[in-house]
């Protein structure tokens, strides 16, 4: 092989390599996991959503974010040593209207571990709408098929603001508006926005 043909090969090889890197980069950009910032009165929480394992749940959550549904809602149920729940009620505990419920995706391999975000639901496994909760400890009892044969759908995790989650879980709570474990001083989600990585 002459020097000339070698340089031509390496140039072609370098171009092919560059194209492969560009393709990989664009593929990565498309599969980048979305993040949502919950700006609360206690500080900011950023959650990273797992579209691959909980596609319907992530799509549903992002639609509520885009619709500004979460803006002005509160963490209405806080149980230290368990979870903090929000996304459904205003500060005066009026329930906001929601879209149709979504199917359960609890058997997706994601666990209700500390600082993961999951969907709240009623006794009907396919009843999740807008309400979510953040686990403040490893809640193995919520993983499918527990506790009722179905489990609770985890769809992401907190990647920034775990200190804020810890602050919220420690607030004083009581009975209010016919509900238990309600923060005595409202912890409000001022805004929920999709943020870049």
């Amino acid at each position: 092989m002459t020097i000339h043909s070698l340089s031509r090969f390496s140039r072609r090889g370098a171009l092919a390599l560059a194209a492969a890197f560009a393709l990989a980069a664009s593929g990565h950009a498309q599969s980048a996991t979305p993040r949502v910032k919950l700006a609360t009165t206690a500080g900011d929480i950023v959650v990273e959503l797992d579209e691959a394992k909980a596609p319907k749940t992530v799509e549903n959550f992002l639609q509520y974010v885009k619709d500004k549904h979460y803006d002005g809602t509160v963490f209405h149920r806080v149980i230290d040593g368990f979870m903090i729940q929000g996304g459904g009620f205003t500060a005066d505990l009026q329930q906001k209207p929601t879209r149709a419920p979504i199917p359960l995706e609890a058997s997706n391999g994601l666990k209700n571990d500390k600082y993961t975000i999951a969907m709240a639901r009623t006794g009907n496994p396919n009843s999740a709408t807008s309400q979510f909760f953040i686990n403040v400890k490893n809640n193995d009892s919520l993983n499918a098929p527990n506790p009722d044969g179905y489990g609770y759908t985890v769809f992401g995790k907190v990647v920034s603001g775990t200190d804020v989650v810890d602050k919220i879980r420690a607030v004083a709570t009581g009975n209010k508006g016919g509900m238990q474990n309600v923060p005595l001083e409202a912890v409000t989600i001022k805004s929920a926005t999709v943020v870049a990585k």
Side-chain angles (χ1 to χ4, degrees):
M1 188 181 276
T2 66
I3 291 173
H4 181 67
S5 62
L6 181 64
S7 68
R8 196 168 60 234
F9 169 78
S10 54
R11 235 192 344 264
R12 201 181 309 127
L15 281 172
L17 204 57
F21 277 132
L23 196 63
S26 71
H28 178 71
Q30 287 164 352
S31 65
T33 49
R35 288 184 173 190
V36 168
K37 181 173 81 172
L38 303 173
T40 83
T41 50
D44 294 350
I45 301 167
V46 178
V47 290
E48 185 174 88
L49 311 179
D50 195 329
E51 272 182 313
K53 293 197 171 164
K56 290 182 176 72
T57 307
V58 168
E59 180 186 16
N60 175 69
F61 184 76
L62 288 173
Q63 191 59 56
Y64 279 112
V65 170
K66 288 170 190 157
D67 292 345
K68 304 291 182 192
H69 173 91
Y70 295 123
D71 299 10
T73 60
V74 295
F75 283 94
H76 64 276
R77 187 168 175 240
V78 169
I79 304 174
D80 195 4
F82 184 37
M83 54 94 233
I84 62 173
Q85 182 175 335
F89 292 85
T90 60
D92 57 358
L93 298 182
Q94 295 301 305
Q95 191 160 9
K96 293 186 78 169
T98 62
R99 296 193 316 278
I102 57 168
L104 187 75
E105 293 180 304
S107 299
N108 60 15
L110 299 175
K111 305 295 183 195
N112 281 275
D113 290 341
K114 190 174 185 179
Y115 302 130
T116 56
I117 184 170
M119 291 306 291
R121 60 173 176 80
T122 67
N124 173 353
N126 300 305
S127 62
T129 54
S130 67
Q131 290 186 41
F132 62 87
F133 62 91
I134 297 173
N135 291 289
V136 301
K137 76 172 189 70
N138 290 354
N139 287 313
D140 297 340
S141 64
L142 301 181
N143 295 333
N146 298 321
D148 55 1
Y150 302 105
Y152 287 78
T153 302
V154 174
F155 63 100
K157 63 186 177 186
V158 175
V159 291
S160 172
T162 54
D163 57 325
V164 177
V165 174
D166 289 340
K167 196 190 299 184
I168 296 170
R169 74 178 169 84
V171 300
T173 61
N175 298 337
K176 199 175 172 186
M179 295 195 289
Q180 298 176 313
N181 310 115
V182 180
L184 299 179
E185 193 174 316
V187 181
T188 305
I189 297 171
K190 297 184 288 184
S191 67
T193 50
V194 177
V195 291
K197 272 186 131 176

